[in-house]
Coordinates of all heavy atoms in Angstrom, one line a residue:
G169 N -38.2 61.9 14.2 CA -38.9 61.3 13.1 C -38.0 60.8 12.1 O -38.4 59.9 11.3
T170 N -36.7 61.2 12.0 CA -35.9 60.7 10.9 C -34.6 60.2 11.5 O -33.8 61.0 12.1 CB -35.6 61.9 9.9 OG1 -36.8 62.3 9.3 CG2 -34.6 61.4 8.8
A171 N -34.3 58.9 11.3 CA -33.0 58.4 11.7 C -31.9 58.7 10.8 O -32.1 58.5 9.6 CB -33.2 56.9 11.9
T172 N -30.9 59.2 11.2 CA -29.7 59.6 10.3 C -28.7 58.4 10.2 O -28.1 58.3 9.1 CB -29.0 60.8 10.8 OG1 -28.4 60.6 12.1 CG2 -30.0 62.0 11.0
G173 N -28.6 57.7 11.2 CA -27.6 56.6 11.2 C -26.1 57.1 11.3 O -25.9 58.3 11.3
L174 N -25.2 56.2 11.5 CA -23.8 56.6 11.7 C -23.0 56.4 10.4 O -23.2 55.5 9.7 CB -23.1 55.7 12.8 CG -23.6 55.8 14.2 CD1 -23.1 54.7 15.1 CD2 -23.2 57.1 14.8
A175 N -22.2 57.4 10.1 CA -21.4 57.4 8.9 C -20.1 56.7 9.3 O -19.7 56.5 10.4 CB -21.1 58.8 8.4
G176 N -19.3 56.4 8.2 CA -18.0 55.8 8.5 C -17.1 56.9 9.1 O -17.2 58.1 8.9
S177 N -16.2 56.4 10.0 CA -15.3 57.4 10.7 C -14.2 58.0 9.8 O -13.8 57.4 8.8 CB -14.6 56.7 11.8 OG -13.9 55.6 11.4
S178 N -13.9 59.2 10.1 CA -12.8 59.9 9.3 C -11.6 60.3 10.2 O -10.7 60.8 9.6 CB -13.4 61.2 8.6 OG -13.8 62.1 9.6
M179 N -11.7 60.0 11.4 CA -10.6 60.2 12.3 C -10.6 59.3 13.5 O -11.7 58.8 13.9 CB -10.6 61.7 12.8 CG -11.8 62.1 13.7 SD -11.6 63.6 14.5 CE -10.4 63.2 15.9
P180 N -9.5 58.9 14.0 CA -9.4 57.9 15.2 C -9.8 58.7 16.4 O -9.8 59.9 16.5 CB -8.0 57.4 15.2 CG -7.2 58.6 14.6 CD -8.1 59.2 13.6
D181 N -10.0 57.9 17.5 CA -10.1 58.4 18.8 C -8.7 58.7 19.3 O -7.8 58.0 19.1 CB -10.8 57.5 19.8 CG -12.3 57.6 19.7 OD1 -12.8 58.0 18.7 OD2 -13.0 57.2 20.7
I182 N -8.5 59.9 20.0 CA -7.3 60.2 20.6 C -7.4 60.3 22.1 O -8.3 61.0 22.7 CB -6.8 61.6 20.1 CG1 -6.7 61.6 18.6 CG2 -5.5 62.0 20.7 CD1 -6.5 62.9 17.9
V183 N -6.6 59.5 22.8 CA -6.7 59.3 24.2 C -5.3 59.7 24.9 O -4.2 59.3 24.4 CB -7.0 57.9 24.7 CG1 -7.0 57.7 26.1 CG2 -8.3 57.5 24.1
G184 N -5.4 60.5 25.9 CA -4.2 60.9 26.6 C -4.4 60.6 28.1 O -5.5 60.9 28.7
V185 N -3.3 60.1 28.8 CA -3.4 59.7 30.2 C -2.1 60.2 30.9 O -1.0 60.0 30.3 CB -3.6 58.2 30.4 CG1 -3.7 57.9 31.9 CG2 -4.8 57.7 29.7
L186 N -2.2 60.7 32.1 CA -1.1 61.1 32.9 C -1.3 60.5 34.3 O -2.4 60.6 34.9 CB -1.0 62.6 33.0 CG 0.2 63.1 33.9 CD1 1.5 62.8 33.3 CD2 0.1 64.7 34.1
G187 N -0.3 59.7 34.7 CA -0.5 58.9 36.0 C 0.7 58.9 36.9 O 1.8 59.2 36.5
Y188 N 0.5 58.6 38.1 CA 1.5 58.4 39.1 C 1.3 57.0 39.9 O 0.2 56.8 40.4 CB 1.6 59.6 40.1 CG 2.7 59.5 41.1 CD1 3.9 60.1 40.8 CD2 2.6 58.9 42.3 CE1 5.0 60.0 41.6 CE2 3.6 58.9 43.2 CZ 4.8 59.4 42.9 OH 5.9 59.4 43.7
D189 N 2.3 56.2 39.9 CA 2.1 54.8 40.4 C 3.1 54.6 41.6 O 4.3 54.5 41.4 CB 2.3 53.8 39.3 CG 1.9 52.4 39.7 OD1 1.8 52.1 40.9 OD2 1.7 51.5 38.8
D190 N 2.5 54.5 42.8 CA 3.2 54.1 43.9 C 2.5 53.0 44.7 O 2.3 53.0 45.9 CB 3.5 55.2 44.9 CG 4.5 54.9 45.9 OD1 5.3 53.9 45.8 OD2 4.5 55.6 46.9
N191 N 1.9 52.0 43.9 CA 1.0 51.0 44.4 C 1.7 50.1 45.4 O 1.0 49.5 46.2 CB 0.4 50.2 43.3 CG -0.9 49.5 43.7 OD1 -1.8 50.1 44.4 ND2 -1.1 48.3 43.3
K192 N 3.0 50.0 45.5 CA 3.6 49.2 46.5 C 3.5 49.9 47.9 O 3.7 49.2 49.0 CB 5.1 49.0 46.2 CG 5.3 48.1 45.0 CD 6.8 47.9 44.7 CE 7.0 46.9 43.5 NZ 8.4 46.7 43.3
N193 N 3.1 51.1 47.9 CA 3.0 51.9 49.2 C 1.6 52.4 49.3 O 0.7 51.7 49.7 CB 4.0 53.0 49.2 CG 5.5 52.5 49.2 OD1 5.9 51.7 50.1 ND2 6.2 52.9 48.2
W194 N 1.3 53.6 49.0 CA 0.0 54.3 49.2 C -1.0 54.0 48.2 O -2.2 53.9 48.4 CB 0.2 55.7 49.4 CG 0.6 56.5 48.2 CD1 1.9 56.8 47.9 CD2 -0.2 57.0 47.2 NE1 2.0 57.5 46.7 CE2 0.7 57.6 46.2 CE3 -1.6 57.0 46.9 CZ2 0.2 58.3 45.1 CZ3 -2.0 57.7 45.8 CH2 -1.1 58.2 44.9
G195 N -0.6 53.8 46.9 CA -1.6 53.6 45.8 C -1.1 54.2 44.5 O 0.0 54.4 44.2
R196 N -2.1 54.6 43.7 CA -1.8 55.2 42.4 C -3.0 56.1 42.0 O -4.1 56.0 42.5 CB -1.5 54.2 41.4 CG -2.6 53.2 41.2 CD -2.2 52.0 40.3 NE -3.1 50.8 40.6 CZ -2.8 49.6 40.0 NH1 -1.8 49.4 39.3 NH2 -3.6 48.6 40.3
V197 N -2.7 57.0 41.0 CA -3.8 57.9 40.5 C -3.5 58.2 39.0 O -2.3 58.2 38.6 CB -3.8 59.2 41.3 CG1 -2.5 60.0 41.2 CG2 -5.0 60.0 40.9
Q198 N -4.5 58.4 38.3 CA -4.4 58.9 36.9 C -5.5 59.8 36.4 O -6.6 59.7 36.9 CB -4.3 57.7 35.9 CG -5.6 57.0 35.6 CD -5.5 55.9 34.6 OE1 -4.6 55.1 34.6 NE2 -6.5 55.9 33.6
V199 N -5.2 60.8 35.6 CA -6.1 61.6 34.9 C -6.1 61.3 33.4 O -5.1 60.9 32.9 CB -5.9 63.1 35.1 CG1 -6.1 63.5 36.6 CG2 -4.4 63.5 34.7
M200 N -7.3 61.3 32.8 CA -7.4 60.9 31.4 C -8.4 61.7 30.6 O -9.3 62.3 31.2 CB -7.7 59.4 31.3 CG -9.0 58.9 32.1 SD -8.6 58.5 33.8 CE -10.1 57.6 34.2
G201 N -8.2 61.7 29.3 CA -9.1 62.5 28.4 C -9.1 61.8 27.1 O -8.2 61.1 26.7
A202 N -10.2 62.0 26.4 CA -10.4 61.3 25.1 C -11.2 62.3 24.1 O -12.1 63.0 24.6 CB -11.1 60.0 25.2
I203 N -10.9 62.2 22.9 CA -11.7 63.0 21.8 C -12.3 61.9 20.9 O -11.6 61.0 20.4 CB -10.7 63.9 21.1 CG1 -10.2 65.0 22.0 CG2 -11.5 64.5 19.9 CD1 -9.1 65.8 21.3
H204 N -13.6 62.1 20.6 CA -14.4 61.1 19.7 C -15.2 61.9 18.8 O -15.9 62.8 19.1 CB -15.2 60.2 20.7 CG -16.1 59.3 19.9 ND1 -15.6 58.2 19.2 CD2 -17.5 59.4 19.7 CE1 -16.6 57.6 18.6 NE2 -17.8 58.3 18.9
Q205 N -15.2 61.5 17.5 CA -15.9 62.2 16.5 C -17.3 61.5 16.3 O -17.5 60.3 16.4 CB -15.2 62.0 15.1 CG -15.9 62.7 13.9 CD -15.3 62.2 12.6 OE1 -15.2 61.1 12.3 NE2 -14.9 63.2 11.8
N206 N -18.3 62.4 16.1 CA -19.7 62.0 15.9 C -20.0 62.5 14.4 O -20.1 63.7 14.2 CB -20.7 62.6 16.9 CG -20.5 62.1 18.3 OD1 -21.0 61.0 18.6 ND2 -19.8 62.9 19.1
R207 N -20.3 61.5 13.6 CA -20.4 61.8 12.2 C -21.7 61.1 11.6 O -21.8 59.9 11.7 CB -19.2 61.3 11.4 CG -19.1 61.8 9.9 CD -17.7 61.6 9.5 NE -17.5 62.0 8.0 CZ -17.4 61.2 7.0 NH1 -17.3 59.8 7.3 NH2 -17.3 61.6 5.8
A208 N -22.6 61.9 11.2 CA -23.9 61.4 10.7 C -23.8 60.9 9.3 O -23.0 61.4 8.5 CB -25.0 62.4 10.8
L209 N -24.6 59.9 8.9 CA -24.7 59.4 7.6 C -25.3 60.4 6.6 O -24.8 60.6 5.5 CB -25.5 58.1 7.5 CG -25.5 57.3 6.3 CD1 -24.1 56.9 5.8 CD2 -26.5 56.1 6.4
N210 N -26.2 61.2 7.2 CA -26.8 62.3 6.4 C -25.9 63.4 6.2 O -25.5 64.0 7.3 CB -28.1 62.7 7.1 CG -28.9 63.7 6.2 OD1 -28.4 64.4 5.3 ND2 -30.2 63.8 6.5
P211 N -25.4 63.8 5.0 CA -24.4 64.9 4.9 C -24.9 66.2 5.3 O -24.2 67.2 5.4 CB -24.1 64.8 3.4 CG -25.2 64.2 2.7 CD -25.8 63.2 3.7
S212 N -26.3 66.4 5.5 CA -26.8 67.6 5.9 C -26.4 67.9 7.4 O -26.5 69.1 7.8 CB -28.4 67.6 5.8 OG -28.7 67.5 4.4
F213 N -26.1 66.9 8.1 CA -25.7 67.1 9.5 C -24.2 67.3 9.6 O -23.4 66.5 9.1 CB -26.1 65.9 10.4 CG -27.6 65.6 10.6 CD1 -28.3 65.0 9.6 CD2 -28.2 66.1 11.7 CE1 -29.7 64.8 9.8 CE2 -29.5 66.0 11.9 CZ -30.3 65.3 10.9

C-alpha cells in the first residue's frame, strides 16, 4: 500500500571477476560477483 521509492545511492557497486582465457584453443571461463546497495527513500527502511 505504500511506495517508498529509491533514495540516492551512498556507495558504488563493487564487481570482481576472475577468468582464464585460452580462446585460441579450447575456450575461456570466468567467475564473477557483484555487491549492490538497496536504499529506500523512506528513512524508516
Side-chain angles (χ1 to χ4, degrees):
T170 301
T172 64
L174 292 171
S177 58
S178 63
M179 62 170 286
D181 276 25
I182 301 174
V183 175
V185 182
L186 180 64
Y188 186 86
D189 191 340
D190 191 21
N191 200 42
K192 292 182 178 180
N193 296 303
W194 64 267
R196 56 191 161 187
V197 65
Q198 74 174 46
V199 292
M200 51 274 195
I203 296 174
H204 175 70
Q205 181 191 52
N206 293 281
R207 191 163 178 252
L209 186 62
N210 187 337
S212 299
F213 290 84

